[in-house]
Amino acid sequence: SDELRCLALRDQLTGLYNRHFLIDAAAKHISQAHRHKLSLCLIMVYIDHFKAVNDEHGHAVGDAVLRDVGEIFLNEARKEDIVARFGGEEFVFLLDTCDREAGIKKAERVRQTLEAKQVQGLAITASLGFAHLTSDEDFTGLLSRADYALYKAKSNGRNRVEVAD
């Protein structure tokens, strides 16, 4: 049924797309980008110190924070963007037909928007890793470069955007 199909593609907590949907969709979008020489970007977002939110305020508040953050991300997205909850406190933006410069600006805007809002009365920040699709790259390669940039953002003090080489 449509309802089951929808459940299979969406994260139950946030209503965003889930990891499975993202992986399928990304492969299609990336092959299209290669075929038509289009720009495509990926942003990995990690909610900073999220374990502390759960530990100090309980899982109900943690869930509410993830839901609200998901909504903030959805509001920052264009119609053609795919926003997915990748797992736990990790989210991914797949920016279709978006060049490197515009993608980096978007990542910074997402970071600033989140930082400016009180989420469930808490100050929530995120670390972001950005990667722009190279000419011969698949989803795994793009994701692992964004993931490495995210790792750098976390180790360089969090609440920042790092751009993959």
Side-chain angles (χ1 to χ4, degrees), residues 99-110 112 130:
D99 66 31
R100 189 172 186 276
E101 202 178 324
I104 293 169
K105 277 198 184 115
K106 160 83 96 201
E108 185 52 41
R109 196 169 62 243
V110 166
Q112 288 173 0
F130 173 89

Side-chain angles (χ1 to χ4, degrees), residues 5-163:
R5 208 173 138 268
C6 186
L7 279 174
L9 304 178
R10 300 242 176 222
D11 170 60
Q12 284 178 309
L13 180 64
T14 61
L16 298 176
Y17 287 116
N18 63 25
R19 184 187 197 121
H20 300 292
F21 176 85
L22 175 72
I23 292 166
D24 285 352
K28 292 183 189 108
H29 287 278
I30 287 169
S31 77
Q32 238 174 352
H34 288 320
R35 197 166 44 246
H36 302 295
K37 308 266 183 281
L38 301 169
S39 232
L40 182 143
C41 304
L42 189 138
I43 307 169
M44 277 198 99
V45 187
Y46 178 86
I47 308 304
D48 294 329
H49 307 295
F50 184 72
K51 190 184 177 313
V53 172
N54 278 332
D55 291 349
E56 291 165 30
H57 304 279
H59 286 277
V61 172
D63 285 354
V65 165
L66 290 174
R67 262 197 305 274
D68 291 356
V69 164
E71 202 171 308
I72 291 165
F73 291 169
L74 213 49
N75 289 335
E76 285 300 307
R78 305 168 304 168
K79 274 200 308 285
E80 58 270 37
D81 297 336
I82 292 171
V83 187
R85 183 173 174 206
F86 202 64
E89 60 269 47
E90 272 190 322
F91 297 82
V92 169
F93 283 75
L94 187 72
L95 309 177
D96 217 2
T97 62
C98 179
D99 66 31
R100 189 172 186 276
E101 202 178 324
I104 293 169
K105 277 198 184 115
K106 160 83 96 201
E108 185 52 41
R109 196 169 62 243
V110 166
R111 187 198 66 72
Q112 288 173 0
T113 301
L114 187 61
E115 185 182 31
K117 284 192 188 329
Q118 286 276 308
V119 183
Q120 296 292 312
L122 305 170
I124 300 290
T125 62
S127 301
L128 296 85
F130 173 89
H132 180 254
L133 185 69
T134 62
S135 60
D136 55 355
E137 195 168 40
D138 63 5
F139 180 61
T140 308
L142 180 66
L143 187 69
S144 82
R145 286 192 308 116
D147 192 42
Y148 183 68
L150 173 62
Y151 168 78
K152 282 202 303 198
K154 283 155 71 172
S155 53
N156 288 338
R158 300 178 194 258
N159 190 24
R160 58 189 295 135
V161 175
E162 291 286 346
V163 178

